[in-house]
Amino acid sequence: MDCEMVGVAGERYDPNDKNTIENALCRVSVVSGNDKAGYQTLLDVWVAVEERIVDYRTAITGIDSSTFAQKPLIPHAEARARVQNLIKGKILVGHALLNDFKVLKLRHPIELQRDSSFYRGLRPQGWQQLMEQKHSRKFVKGRIPKYKITPSLSTLVSHWLKETLHTGTHCSIEDATAALKLYNLHREEWEASLVNLSEKKKSGSTDVVSLGAAVRTSSPR
């Protein structure tokens, strides 16, 4: 699954402060499949935005006020219900799922989430050290927990699939498919790591916390 978002004016919106812009769902896509059978799009809809849009993020979404108005929009509640119906009781794969859940305003059992942004088995060799060096000052000040420095989807796709993602605007179908391909490529070891983590939790191992943080928050984008 993947969502595209626009920026809207929330309750604390200040036109002079970009940090006060909030995210709102404008498109959501759900795909399924594997490399052998192929990948199918189960859902791809544009969603009406009730809040005042202040940033269409055209470079990413590919839309502006004119083109968005021409899309076949459905109500947010309908989009949410359709997604919920598709993913209920199923393993859900995505990249930074927390952001998607937040704009969709729904939850999904943590044990059924597979987030490519947090699975450490996907991180290129030396990634953690590289990020710690890049953000050394922030680490010293304790501003960025180590588990929160995560690779982008395009970085993972380039490393593992040898493909280029996001050469122009983003496509939620392509992003959802890319995350699923990464999961399928590492499925066996990924699932095994979760079994091992579950066993460690049951035995009360003290080294579960750092691993659990990555799995528990399997969501930021």
Side-chain angles (χ1 to χ4, degrees):
M1 180 182 75
D2 186 70
C3 295
E4 298 297 345
M5 309 163 199
V6 291
V8 298
E11 294 181 358
R12 301 180 180 179
Y13 174 65
D14 178 351
N16 297 314
D17 186 356
K18 291 184 178 181
N19 292 323
T20 62
I21 296 177
E22 298 180 2
N23 292 326
L25 178 69
C26 70
R27 183 184 182 184
V28 57
S29 303
V30 180
V31 303
S32 68
N34 52 58
D35 292 329
K36 185 176 181 178
Y39 294 87
Q40 304 83 36
T41 301
L42 304 180
L43 179 71
D44 180 40
V45 293
W46 288 90
V47 184
V49 179
E50 296 181 358
E51 302 91 339
R52 178 165 65 93
I53 301 176
V54 295
D55 187 356
Y56 282 88
R57 298 169 180 166
T58 305
I60 296 175
T61 63
I63 58 173
D64 54 26
S65 58
S66 177
T67 54
F68 187 56
Q70 297 174 20
K71 297 292 184 183
L73 306 174
I74 68 171
H76 184 282
E78 180 181 343
R80 178 179 181 275
R82 291 174 67 174
V83 170
Q84 200 163 33
N85 183 58
L86 283 172
I87 69 175
K88 185 176 181 180
K90 299 177 182 177
I91 290 177
L92 180 65
V93 180
H95 191 83
L97 285 170
L98 180 62
N99 297 323
D100 295 337
F101 291 145
K102 187 174 181 179
V103 294
L104 279 165
K105 299 179 181 178
L106 62 75
R107 297 182 178 182
H108 195 62
I110 191 67
E111 65 271 15
L112 294 179
Q113 296 178 33
R114 303 292 184 271
D115 194 318
S116 57
S117 72
F118 274 93
Y119 176 51
R120 296 189 178 187
L122 284 175
R123 298 184 186 182
Q125 186 175 6
W127 172 264
Q128 188 69 35
Q129 292 78 6
L130 177 63
M131 289 298 98
E132 289 183 16
Q133 292 175 5
K134 183 177 180 181
H135 300 280
S136 58
R137 292 184 179 180
K138 294 181 179 179
F139 271 114
V140 170
K141 295 181 180 180
R143 291 166 56 188
I144 302 181
K146 290 185 179 180
Y147 71 85
K148 285 203 171 186
I149 295 186
T150 58
S152 66
L153 180 59
S154 58
T155 294
L156 296 179
V157 167
S158 175
H159 181 77
W160 293 107
L161 304 180
K162 309 304 178 186
E163 298 176 2
T164 301
L165 193 66
H166 301 159
T167 55
T169 57
H170 294 203
C171 172
S172 49
I173 294 178
E174 291 180 358
D175 287 1
T177 302
L180 187 53
K181 284 183 177 181
L182 290 169
Y183 170 73
N184 286 333
L185 183 64
H186 294 264
R187 183 170 185 166
E188 290 187 9
E189 58 264 40
W190 196 332
E191 293 301 322
S193 72
L194 296 177
V195 171
N196 292 336
L197 177 60
S198 177
E199 292 176 348
K200 287 181 179 179
K201 283 184 177 180
K202 290 179 181 179
S203 65
S205 298
T206 56
D207 62 344
V208 175
V209 178
S210 61
L211 293 172
V215 176
R216 184 169 55 254
T217 43
S218 60
S219 301
R221 189 169 192 163

